[in-house]
Amino acid sequence: MKRLLRALVIALSLVISAATAHAECAWVLWQQQGEISPSGSVSSSDWTWLTAEATSTEAECRQVSARFDATLGPKDADGYSSVTSKGKKVRVRNVCLPDGTDPRGPKG
């Protein structure tokens, strides 16, 4: 239940932040990664967010995201690619967000 609630809060914050963004601000390509356990799942505590690249516009960010996506391979129904990195299977997805929007949530 906590996992579902956390996922809903993150999804809602992403939708709200994208809807309120201004086109003239800088954009950041974030990459969400989670190690896949032997059972095939990713624990909610195992997800990490990394910044991949900053761009001037949303369109540029989406172009960079598409370039990254091409190297990751096919996506599943949820928009994640599964890759093997350093012997571990990892789920990965790219998300463009306005500068100043942190998908990890508030600090402190």
Side-chain angles (χ1 to χ4, degrees):
M1 183 68 176
K2 279 183 158 180
R3 183 177 178 188
L4 177 61
L5 181 60
R6 183 175 181 217
L8 288 173
V9 168
I10 289 172
L12 182 60
S13 67
L14 291 174
V15 169
I16 291 170
S17 64
T20 59
H22 298 287
E24 64 273 10
C25 68
W27 287 76
V28 178
L29 176 62
W30 287 85
Q31 192 171 75
Q32 183 184 31
Q33 302 177 354
E35 185 177 336
I36 302 171
S37 71
S39 68
S41 64
V42 179
S43 168
S44 61
S45 62
D46 290 337
W47 286 108
T48 58
W49 286 93
L50 306 168
T51 54
E53 193 165 325
T55 62
S56 299
T57 66
E58 181 181 11
E60 288 175 355
C61 187
R62 293 196 185 281
Q63 288 174 345
V64 172
S65 178
R67 192 175 71 232
F68 275 87
D69 285 343
T71 64
L72 293 174
K75 294 181 183 184
D76 63 18
D78 296 324
Y80 290 88
S81 297
S82 294
V83 298
T84 302
S85 175
K86 299 178 184 176
K88 298 178 182 180
K89 288 186 111 183
V90 180
R91 287 188 82 196
V92 180
R93 77 175 173 134
N94 296 313
V95 179
C96 287
L97 296 173
D99 188 27
T101 303
D102 192 334
R104 299 170 293 189
K107 297 190 185 205

